[in-house]
Amino acid sequence: MTNTSVGQLLLIGISGLSLTAEEKKFIAQKNIGGVTLFARNLQEPVQIRDLCAELQSLRQQMPDKAPLYIAIDMEGGRVARLKQPFTQWPPLKKLGDLDSPSATFHFAHAMGLELKSVGINVDWAPCLDVLTNPANTVIGDRALSSNAETVAKHASALVRGYLKAEVIPCAKHFPGHGNTFIDSHTELPVEDLDSKRMEAVESLPFRRAFRSRLELLMTAHVLYKNIDPDWPVTLSSKFLQDILRDQLRYRGLVVTDDLGMKALSKYHEVKKIPVRAIQAGADLLLYCNEPDSPGLAYEAINEALSSGELKPERIKQIHQRVLLHKSKYLTTPDPMSAEEIGKIVGHSKHLQLAKAISEGVVPENLSADLADGDT
């Protein structure tokens, strides 16, 4: 007998601008926790609104009747799925260089308002990696700074800005991807940093973000051989339990980076990856691009429950944690009307803010108007 609670652990990709009949059936029957939207799913604001509304309508057919997480990669700069008329935001490095936490807060808040208007409720941002390796082009200007204290200061502002806009921020890539050479999309990065260095540099921004009510965090597919020589962070109980939960006292949700990435799939059986991630301490499993992967993961987890490899109590614990998180943050999951969206997306104040940050200028009159949601 399958356990439909398993579906709440999965965040999946979808194929196009609207849902296929098969996708609707899979999401509803399997009780899927949410989706991530990519360029293939995004055309213009009203189409995105309609897609998000279609997704949220499925909750009435699902066992838990819970809203779906609808997530997107919107960091600013080159990692930005939403094109014009949405405001085009500069990369985080511009915020780090400007070093105005107030501007950083307004950046995240204004971006979040635009996401929220069309029905997107999770942003796979901010990127809290400290760029200690200048040759790291995977991260590059996605990082706020090469200075850990600067990243930490702005981490708090970003988290608070997104939360004020009622969008859930997800800090990534724990415990840090800023020192790597290799892209984990294609290969497993291996790092030789020790615990002392990690505590002083890599984990500092995450610790600061936790104090700003961050409750969603994404793991890095990186092997830190001096800390856990056997498992990359995503599959490491040393990192996800001993360090994150016990030492850092993080109490929010842990989501994996995409489990289809080569950093994992090159070295581990596809059906064993989701089971190991849950055993290690992950709560949510991210699948972005391979259409068959979510179904395989769903089956693999249920098979592991039947065999005793996974304990039902563990799934029950995650399931309850996810539903509690949704009840706290997804109180108004449906998108706004097309008319309301038109008043928010690409608002002149957002455009002015983005332009000023891009030009390295602290915007004038960073007053309460944006912070209070008066768009």
Side-chain angles (χ1 to χ4, degrees):
M1 180 178 171
T2 58
N3 183 340
T4 56
S5 296
V6 167
Q8 280 294 336
L9 282 60
L10 300 177
L11 288 154
I12 70 171
I14 54 176
S15 58
L17 300 176
S18 59
L19 293 169
T20 66
E22 292 78 11
E23 287 168 343
K24 288 182 187 178
K25 183 178 177 182
F26 182 78
I27 290 168
Q29 291 187 355
K30 304 298 188 191
N31 199 35
I32 297 301
V35 303
T36 300
L37 302 180
F38 291 89
R40 62 182 180 266
N41 311 123
L42 308 168
Q43 193 170 61
E44 45 79 25
V46 174
Q47 173 270 324
I48 298 166
R49 179 225 173 272
D50 291 346
L51 175 58
C52 291
E54 185 180 28
L55 282 162
Q56 292 297 2
S57 72
L58 294 176
R59 68 183 185 270
Q60 307 305 334
Q61 305 170 38
M62 295 165 68
D64 285 329
K65 303 287 191 291
L68 282 79
Y69 293 123
I70 302 181
I72 197 166
D73 281 298
M74 276 294 291
E75 299 175 14
R78 58 195 159 101
V79 181
R81 307 292 182 212
L82 297 174
K83 307 306 180 188
Q84 291 179 327
F86 291 91
T87 303
Q88 300 302 292
W89 298 99
L92 289 192
K93 183 179 185 299
K94 290 286 187 180
L95 289 169
D97 291 346
L98 191 61
D99 202 18
S100 164
S102 179
T104 298
F105 169 86
H106 284 80
F107 167 99
H109 181 246
M111 184 192 290
L113 290 173
E114 296 194 11
L115 297 179
K116 170 77 173 171
S117 72
V118 294
I120 296 166
N121 53 41
V122 176
D123 194 0
W124 300 132
C127 180
L128 298 188
D129 302 311
V130 183
L131 189 67
T132 52
N133 172 14
N136 182 350
T137 56
V138 179
I139 301 301
D141 63 0
R142 297 168 65 190
L144 285 150
S145 175
S146 59
N147 180 279
E149 181 56 45
T150 300
V151 178
K153 178 169 61 174
H154 290 272
S156 296
L158 288 163
V159 168
R160 288 186 293 105
Y162 286 120
L163 288 174
K164 189 169 181 63
E166 298 183 9
V167 167
I168 301 167
C170 177
K172 61 187 185 186
H173 308 81
F174 179 80
H177 212 311
N179 199 59
T180 59
F181 277 102
I182 292 170
D183 184 349
S184 54
H185 287 86
T186 58
E187 184 54 85
L188 176 65
V190 178
E191 287 292 305
D192 60 5
L193 307 180
D194 60 18
S195 297
K196 189 174 179 181
R197 149 64 190 260
M198 185 169 290
E199 186 174 339
V201 179
E202 275 73 17
S203 72
L204 179 64
F206 291 95
R207 299 200 306 272
R208 199 73 57 83
F210 299 163
R211 296 210 296 267
S212 298
R213 295 190 300 123
L214 179 86
E215 292 190 31
L216 186 60
L217 170 148
M218 182 182 288
T219 61
H221 298 335
V222 178
L223 180 74
Y224 285 90
K225 63 183 182 181
N226 291 330
I227 301 172
D228 186 342
D230 300 318
W231 296 102
V233 174
T234 301
L235 307 180
S236 168
S237 58
K238 170 75 174 173
F239 273 99
L240 302 189
Q241 297 285 353
D242 300 351
I243 296 175
L244 185 60
R245 298 291 188 194
D246 298 343
Q247 293 178 25
L248 302 183
R249 300 190 179 282
Y250 174 69
R251 295 294 175 260
L253 294 175
V254 175
V255 60
T256 68
D257 205 343
D258 181 4
L259 292 181
M261 288 161 63
K262 295 292 191 293
L264 300 186
S265 61
K266 264 190 178 183
Y267 301 97
H268 304 278
E269 273 186 59
V270 171
K271 292 190 79 169
K272 289 190 175 179
I273 291 172
V275 174
R276 175 62 203 179
I278 293 169
Q279 289 172 330
D283 300 304
L284 296 169
L285 311 178
L286 186 59
Y287 287 97
C288 296
N289 296 310
E290 296 292 336
D292 295 335
S293 294
L296 291 172
Y298 185 89
E299 291 172 12
I301 296 166
N302 272 293
E303 287 169 9
L305 283 167
S306 298
S307 70
E309 191 178 358
L310 279 175
K311 303 299 181 193
E313 295 77 19
R314 172 73 179 127
I315 300 301
K316 183 179 179 181
Q317 176 198 43
I318 300 172
H319 180 247
Q320 290 175 338
R321 187 184 290 165
V322 169
L323 292 185
L324 183 64
H325 187 259
K326 288 185 171 184
S327 70
K328 181 177 178 180
Y329 288 106
L330 303 185
T331 55
T332 55
D334 297 309
M336 296 179 183
S337 68
E339 183 182 4
E340 290 174 300
I341 291 167
K343 295 175 181 176
I344 295 172
V345 167
H347 191 284
S348 60
K349 288 180 181 174
H350 301 177
L351 298 175
Q352 289 164 15
L353 178 64
K355 184 172 185 287
I357 295 168
S358 296
E359 293 173 351
V361 177
V362 177
E364 293 182 8
N365 304 318
L366 282 181
S367 57
D369 57 358
L370 269 176
D372 290 341
D374 176 16
T375 59

